[in-house]
């Protein structure tokens, strides 16, 4: 009986050692995965996008996002969802607006940048958000935004998001503008 208990104890110790070894191997694999992945991508040359964004603030990844209030029967889609902005250059992005109802809707797009300091680096030269707009029933329209990129981009800022929120306005507000 005692030899069976000892045998069971030895089996449990071996199992504990195997589990500890497996945990140690998994931790080592996870720890080494990132450098191996970077070296592998660099070797294959498939990490060009990341390399161009980290080169001393020369470029900025600009993402465009759209939010439409649920009560508005309009869909809006960023046709150029991601752009690479180079210091001193311009970025042009297109959006597709579609009125899903047969009634005219009056809209205004409110822009916001994330992070907020990106607003100082990306100046809107042309934007559909400058004015309120009307969209006739079942109308589809392409609108654009043109951004001027600052001459100096901070190297730590790899990406910025320009988000638009579509809000419904009264027709009287459109005439007053």
């Amino acid at each position: 009986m005692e030899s069976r208990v000892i045998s069971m104890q030895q089996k449990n110790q071996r199992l504990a050692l195997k589990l500890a070894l497996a945990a140690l191997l998994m931790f080592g694999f996870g720890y080494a995965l990132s450098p191996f992945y970077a070296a592998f991508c660099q070797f294959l040359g498939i990490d060009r996008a990341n390399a161009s964004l980290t080169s001393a603030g020369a470029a900025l990844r600009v993402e465009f996002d759209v939010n439409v209030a649920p009560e508005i029967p309009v869909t809006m889609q960023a046709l150029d969802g991601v752009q690479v902005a180079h210091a001193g250059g311009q970025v042009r992005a297109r959006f597709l607006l579609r009125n899903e109802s047969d009634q005219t809707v009056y809209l205004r797009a409110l822009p916001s940048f994330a992070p907020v300091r990106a607003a100082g680096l990306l100046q809107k030269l042309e934007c559909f958000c400058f004015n309120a707009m009307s969209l006739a029933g079942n109308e589809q329209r392409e609108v654009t935004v043109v951004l001027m990129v600052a001459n100096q981009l901070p190297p730590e800022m790899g990406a910025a998001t320009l988000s638009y929120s579509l809000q419904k306005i009264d027709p009287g507000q459109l005439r007053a503008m």
Side-chain angles (χ1 to χ4, degrees):
M1 179 76 174
E2 189 170 309
S3 68
R4 186 173 177 179
V5 171
I6 291 173
S7 172
M8 189 66 144
Q9 242 179 354
Q10 288 176 341
K11 286 182 180 179
N12 287 341
Q13 286 176 345
R14 284 188 204 141
L15 180 62
L17 281 173
K18 288 178 183 176
L19 291 175
L21 182 63
L24 185 65
L25 287 174
M26 287 190 296
F27 175 76
F29 178 74
Y31 188 76
L33 189 59
S34 180
F36 283 139
Y37 178 76
F40 184 71
C41 289
Q42 187 177 8
F43 175 74
L44 294 177
I46 58 175
D47 198 20
R48 287 186 224 147
N50 197 17
S52 67
L53 292 179
T54 57
S55 60
L60 178 69
R61 177 185 165 104
V62 181
E63 299 175 357
F64 297 94
D65 183 38
V66 175
N67 299 300
V68 180
E71 71 271 6
I72 303 174
V74 172
T75 60
M76 185 172 179
Q77 175 186 5
L79 297 176
D80 307 307
V82 177
Q83 299 278 329
V84 175
H86 295 280
Q90 289 186 358
V91 174
R92 181 183 185 93
R94 299 170 299 135
F95 298 86
L96 184 63
L97 278 166
R98 181 179 302 142
N99 184 353
E100 301 290 336
S101 73
D102 52 356
Q103 302 286 322
T104 300
V105 291
Y106 300 92
L107 305 166
R108 179 159 194 111
L110 301 175
S112 64
F113 284 97
V116 174
R117 70 182 186 147
L121 302 171
L122 301 169
Q123 180 184 7
K124 291 187 281 299
L125 298 178
E126 174 188 329
C127 183
F128 61 95
C129 63
F130 288 158
N131 299 313
M133 60 186 135
S134 65
L135 206 57
N138 300 313
E139 181 182 353
Q140 180 174 307
R141 186 183 312 166
E142 190 174 299
V143 294
T144 60
V145 60
V146 178
L147 303 170
M148 174 65 116
V149 183
N151 289 328
Q152 298 290 324
L153 295 174
E156 71 276 4
M157 180 181 269
T161 301
L162 175 55
S163 180
Y164 288 101
S165 294
L166 273 186
Q167 296 188 350
K168 194 173 186 178
I169 61 170
D170 293 328
Q173 289 178 301
L174 184 64
R175 289 183 206 117
M177 295 179 173

